[in-house]
Structure formats: structure tokens, C-alpha cells
Amino acid sequence: MTAVDPNAAPALSFTDLNVRFATEGGLVHAVKGLSLDVKPGEVVALVGESGSGKSVTSTAAMGLLPANAVVTGEARVGGVNVVGLPQDKIRAMRATEIAMIFQEPMTALNPVLSIETQLVETFELHDVAYGADAVDRAIELLRLVGIPEPEKRIKQYPHQFSGGQRQRIVIAIAISLRPKVIIADEPTTALDVTVQAEILDLLRRLKDELDSGILLITHNMGVVADLADRVAVMFRGSLVETGPVQDVLTNPQHPYTKKLLAAVPRLENVELVTGHGDEAPVAGRELVLRAEDVAIEYHMRGKRFRAVEGVSFDLAKNEILGIVGESGSGKSTIAKAVLGLIPVADGTLAVHGEDLASISRRRAKAVRRRIGVVFQDPAASLDPRFPIGDVLMEPMVIHRVGTKSSRLERAHELLDAVRLPRDVVNRYPHELSGGQRQRVSLARALMLKPELLIADEPTSALDVSVQAAVLEMIKELQQEYAFACLFVSHDLAVVDLLADHVLVMKDGHMVEHGTTSSVLHHPQADYTKRLLAAAPVPDPAEQRERREARRALLASL
């Protein structure tokens, strides 16, 4: 890693930056007098909860704020103040001076254009290269970011790449003209731990090669520990603490920073070399879900694709089973099959002894009444046209349970349980924060008093403090309602905190299954060891050791 020159002129600097938005209710002060520098070759992490002003700060540097934004102060890119700069001049600076890596690569890439077209476009727009020369440069970029067979794959479209490969392509576009500043806005949030580790390694290498300054926006403290040189903490639009990553993460001074770090789940005491976990059976378990040699197929264009094969497990009342693995491993496919959204091709998948593959549709509906579900994105899973009260009572209406007054009473009871005020029933989803929406999703899932709760990545889109509150709520609600829970996640620290048992999936097959202590702290399978080695921890010194241990482990496998 190259050393950062403390005397170098900043690649990106903010001086007394203020951003206000003109709304119907008056001016909203989103960023309050922020001053911050990013040197060439330095990674500065900007952290804080949703609404703290992180993304507004970055979009101010890109000149992408909406028309109702009132901006004062300075945001300098390579010495040029972009505040108040004409749009044509800002547009010329994008990609050449400053570039952005967005959170979700599928929305950053145009789905109807080939990767070649999208990469070549950058060279042509800035009069850098045309025709065959531009294509050759694009192929080199794909090779640089680790896309295999770039000469062939450059002709393909975004949907033909995995999530990690799409993010690599977005990074290739961002670095195509060797910008002085790269803004990485949650670049690994949607990725599983092994792909995340690869992307962080790539960003680290490119930063050294290009000598670019990187402004890293994230709520993942493990990513901060892995990549950042300095940390800046934002709270309600203000910068409350800055300093070297080691100081801020291990000895925070501001109460808000302390609160943020205390909320981070930690995966500790993992033994990656030898393993012998205890696997004592628990007597008197009341089984809710049982899978025996389950196979699940997708039917596409007359062809069959077997997504899951040979999976066996069981889940009892008042237990949580965590299913982990990389994207495409079959985690969510199992959850969908339990919900009856995908038919079981082979084997037995039974809820309270009733095999979902063999019962009638009417009986399946009755079984599904005993299952609640919480999805990954609360904004997408709540109908924006209905008030929260109608959203909560919908399961009772569909299954014809209770009267209007008893349904409303049940809605109020569950709003109390998830610690939301009762008047929320009259609000709409867009009037609530992400954490509040996920609490509503939890309440809705429990409306019919289910014996089985399926939670598919329920906290991956949430800030660490909100995530901690939702996880604590799941544990409290389980104690109160005694449901079994199937918890799908790629965050191993969250699974370690919450689950009693863990099932590890790879390419549709079960590679390891057992108690959480045995699987996550004494893993037997090489694949589980790779997953654990890739999970970052929020301590820079420990993370450096884990990074070296991961490289040694990968070299030995």
C-alpha cells in the first residue's frame, strides 16, 4: 500500500459546505458547514445513519443535486470549485476528474446496451478514443478489474453477469479515464461476503495504481476497517468526529460514534484451522418445518434448472435456523419453496407434518396461513397506495379472520410490540423511515400468529443501529410468540448473533449444517472457512490480520 503524502494538495475538499432543500414546509438543512479533505491515494470513509447527509455531500461534489437544492460553501475537485459551476463544465469533469461507483450495479448499468457500448461511450463522449482503439481500451479495463475472457464477455449484456461481476464493470467505467477522485457510495452493500472481499481488494489495488482519492460512503464498519485510512462521522448533517481509522474505530470520542460502533454485530473467536464443535441433540423439540433430500427446479423456456438438490434440515418451535452462502447458492430458493412460491421437484418439505409437494391448493393456503414472511426491502414489500393499517390487516382480510374491530385491535397490539405509535395506522409507507417500515413488515408477518417466520435478508438494507434494533426485536418477539424462524442472510455476524443452527449452502448443495457454535466457530468445510475468512470486522489491526489469514487460507485450499 502506498503512503499518503500529507503535504499533497487535496484531490477533493469541502469547505463550510451547506446544503438546504426548498420544500413546502420551508428550507431543510441537510448538510451543515461540512469541511473535509481527501488526499491523492487516500481513502476517507464517510459514515453515519440514513438521513445524516452522507449521500447529499457526495452528490454535491458530483454536481448532481436536484434543482430545489440551495448550496453554499465550496466543494473543490482538483482545485476547481464545482458549487455554482455551469452544468456543461461539471459534465466535462465527470469521469475525467471525478467518478462515482453506485450501490446497485443493475441500476447503474443500462440493461438494453452491451457492456462494450457502455464502456466505449465514456471514451467517445470525452474525445479520448474511438472505434477499435476504444474497444481495445475497454477490454483492457475489464481485464484490469478481473472479468474473465474480456474479449468475449464485452459483447454481453448486464443480466449475463453475476452481481460481483456487474460491480466490477461499474468500477471499470468509473476508472476508465483515471479520475483524481472516486466516490464509492455503498459499493458492497448488495454483495455477499466473499464477493465483497474481492471488490475491496480490487479497490485497494486500483487506488494505489491510480493514486486517486476515494470518498467511501458506507454503513458497514467492517468495510471501513478494511479499506479506509481516515474516518469522518456524520450525524444529522454535521461532522461530529474525524480521525485516523484506528483511532476512531477503537477509541471513539463522540457519543454518537460510540453508539454506532456498539450496534455493530461482531463475529469473534472463529477457528479456521481445526474444528470439533459440540453437536449434542436437544430433547423434546416440537418440529415446525422438516426438509428431507429436497430438490427444487426452475422451468425456463422448456428447460429445467435444478437450483437446489439434496438439502435436509429441520426447524423446531422457538428456534432460529440461519441459511448462509453466496449469491446464487440457493438460500432464497429454499425460503420461496417453504412459502409455496416454487414447487418442490423431489424429496419432502413439510410444515407441521404436511408435505407441501403433495397437498391440494386449498390445503396449501391453510398451511401458508401459519407462515409469516419478512422481505429484504421494506419499501418494495409494502403497498405504497394503502395506509399502514390496511397493510397490517390485509392477511386477516385474505384469510377471513376476525371482524373489522378485532383486526384493528390486533394491528394496535402488534404496533405496540414493535414499538411504533398506534397512530401509524393512518400513515402511508413513504411517511416512515426504512427501520420503521421494516418494523411494520415484522408486525404484518405476525398478524395471523404464525408458527413459522421466514426472514429473507431482513436487515441488509438497514443502518447498523437500526439493524441492531430490528434484530433485538426479532429475538424479543420470538420469546413472546414462540415461532420458529428461517433466517436467510449473507451477514455471518448477524446469523451468529441470532441463530441457534446454521445451514451453509453452495451452488444449490448443503455443505455444512449444525449448531451455530460448531459451524461458525469450528467450521469443517473449506467453503465455510472461506466465507468466515471473508467477513470483515470493525477493527483495523484485526482486519489486517484477517486479510492476511484469508490470503494464506485461499493459497492453501
Side-chain angles (χ1 to χ4, degrees):
M1 184 178 289
T2 57
V4 177
D5 182 0
N7 300 315
L12 173 66
S13 67
F14 300 99
T15 306
D16 194 27
L17 182 73
N18 286 272
V19 182
R20 297 173 175 85
F21 292 100
T23 68
E24 292 179 0
L27 286 175
V28 176
H29 204 168
V31 177
K32 304 170 182 175
L34 181 136
S35 295
L36 182 68
D37 289 346
V38 182
K39 302 278 185 171
E42 182 183 38
V43 179
V44 175
L46 197 57
V47 302
E49 294 172 306
S50 295
S52 62
K54 308 186 303 293
S55 292
V56 173
T57 301
S58 68
T59 47
M62 291 289 293
L64 292 173
L65 288 171
N68 67 328
V70 180
V71 188
T72 59
E74 293 184 347
R76 291 186 171 271
V77 178
V80 178
N81 184 16
V82 298
V83 174
L85 201 66
Q87 274 300 313
D88 58 334
K89 292 188 177 179
I90 294 178
R91 197 175 296 115
M93 291 178 68
R94 292 184 196 131
T96 57
E97 301 290 326
I98 184 168
M100 197 161 193
I101 301 167
F102 293 97
Q103 177 175 349
E104 178 47 66
M106 266 312 268
T107 56
L109 296 171
N110 191 324
V112 299
L113 297 179
S114 69
I115 300 305
E116 178 183 313
T117 302
Q118 298 185 60
L119 275 165
V120 166
E121 180 182 46
T122 307
F123 295 117
E124 293 182 342
L125 280 174
H126 292 274
D127 291 325
V128 172
Y130 294 88
D133 183 23
V135 173
D136 288 344
R137 291 187 184 215
I139 290 170
E140 279 307 308
L141 276 171
L142 292 183
R143 185 174 286 114
L144 181 66
V145 298
I147 299 294
E149 300 181 292
E151 295 87 356
K152 293 179 182 177
R153 304 215 66 185
I154 196 170
K155 303 290 185 184
Q156 294 180 332
Y157 291 80
H159 72 273
Q160 295 174 284
F161 293 83
S162 69
Q165 287 174 329
R166 285 195 290 262
Q167 194 63 296
R168 287 171 183 268
I169 293 165
V170 170
I171 292 171
I173 294 171
I175 67 168
S176 57
L177 299 181
R178 304 180 72 88
K180 296 182 177 69
V181 181
I182 298 171
I183 296 175
D185 190 356
E186 300 280 8
T188 62
T189 298
L191 306 176
D192 52 62
V193 285
T194 50
V195 179
Q196 173 179 272
E198 292 168 6
I199 294 296
L200 293 177
D201 285 343
L202 173 62
L203 285 173
R204 192 178 298 106
R205 177 168 58 83
L206 292 174
K207 182 250 317 182
D208 291 341
E209 289 180 12
L210 302 175
D211 200 32
S212 299
I214 296 181
L215 182 65
L216 174 68
I217 297 170
T218 184
H219 62 245
N220 188 325
M221 294 301 176
V223 170
V224 172
D226 196 15
L227 194 61
D229 301 300
R230 287 193 299 127
V231 183
V233 184
M234 288 192 77
F235 178 58
R236 294 182 180 172
S238 298
L239 212 55
V240 296
E241 185 166 357
T242 59
V245 63
Q246 184 74 37
D247 294 350
V248 174
L249 293 192
T250 58
N251 187 27
Q253 301 300 307
H254 195 275
Y256 175 70
T257 313
K258 292 177 182 177
K259 176 192 165 192
L260 211 57
L261 288 166
V264 178
R266 296 169 186 252
L267 187 63
E268 298 174 323
N269 304 319
V270 175
E271 177 56 70
L272 295 178
V273 182
T274 59
H276 55 66
D278 55 330
E279 200 64 50
V282 180
R285 295 168 70 228
E286 185 182 330
L287 288 188
V288 175
L289 176 65
R290 180 175 58 87
E292 284 186 10
D293 205 23
V294 166
I296 305 166
E297 292 179 343
Y298 288 102
H299 295 237
M300 296 180 293
R301 298 178 183 176
K303 295 182 181 179
R304 293 184 178 184
F305 168 66
R306 187 153 282 201
V308 170
E309 188 165 22
V311 172
S312 300
F313 62 87
D314 57 38
L315 177 61
K317 185 177 179 179
N318 218 18
E319 288 181 353
I320 296 178
L321 172 66
I323 304 183
V324 302
E326 295 172 303
S327 297
S329 61
K331 307 187 300 293
S332 293
T333 299
I334 292 172
K336 288 174 184 175
V338 175
L339 283 167
L341 299 176
I342 306 173
V344 175
D346 205 359
T348 301
L349 187 61
V351 177
H352 272 294
E354 299 202 63
D355 188 357
L356 295 175
S358 59
I359 59 178
S360 67
R361 289 182 65 181
R362 177 176 291 184
R363 188 65 201 145
K365 182 181 178 182
V367 170
R368 281 201 292 272
R369 175 180 159 178
R370 304 163 82 175
I371 304 173
V373 60
V374 183
F375 294 101
Q376 178 174 355
D377 185 355
S381 61
L382 301 178
D383 194 319
R385 302 168 299 170
F386 295 142
I388 297 301
D390 289 0
V391 168
L392 288 174
M393 293 184 285
E394 186 180 27
M396 298 184 79
V397 172
I398 289 172
H399 290 280
R400 299 176 183 175
V401 176
T403 62
K404 189 172 183 180
S405 61
S406 66
R407 291 167 189 164
L408 185 60
E409 186 181 337
R410 176 69 175 159
H412 284 153
E413 176 191 325
L414 282 165
L415 285 174
D416 291 341
V418 298
R419 299 197 196 102
L420 285 175
R422 291 191 171 194
D423 63 8
V424 161
V425 293
N426 298 316
R427 298 190 210 169
Y428 286 82
H430 72 270
E431 297 179 89
L432 305 181
S433 69
Q436 288 174 323
R437 284 195 292 257
Q438 198 61 300
R439 290 179 187 214
V440 170
S441 296
L442 258 175
R444 180 180 61 179
L446 298 175
M447 283 297 286
L448 294 171
K449 300 180 181 178
E451 290 146 12
L452 173 62
L453 179 70
I454 296 175
D456 190 358
E457 300 276 12
T459 61
S460 66
L462 305 177
D463 301 316
V464 284
S465 53
V466 180
Q467 171 182 270
V470 170
L471 293 175
E472 188 61 36
M473 194 154 292
I474 290 174
K475 287 200 285 189
E476 288 178 8
L477 291 169
Q478 191 191 40
Q479 287 175 0
E480 183 175 349
Y481 296 103
F483 52 78
C485 180
L486 193 68
F487 191 89
V488 177
S489 181
H490 64 244
D491 191 327
L492 300 179
V494 166
V495 172
D496 186 38
L497 179 73
L498 206 61
D500 303 294
H501 299 84
V502 178
L503 173 67
V504 184
M505 295 289 296
K506 181 181 187 297
D507 299 332
H509 293 83
M510 180 174 73
V511 296
E512 196 159 356
H513 178 221
T515 62
T516 303
S517 61
S518 65
V519 174
L520 294 189
H521 296 272
H522 303 281
Q524 302 295 306
D526 289 341
Y527 176 71
T528 310
K529 293 176 183 178
R530 287 205 302 272
L531 280 181
L532 289 162
V537 295
D539 183 307
E542 185 183 344
Q543 181 55 27
R544 275 194 297 274
E545 292 176 7
R546 286 179 64 85
R547 193 162 62 237
E548 293 305 317
R550 173 176 170 266
R551 287 171 181 163
L553 176 68
L554 292 175
S556 68
L557 295 177

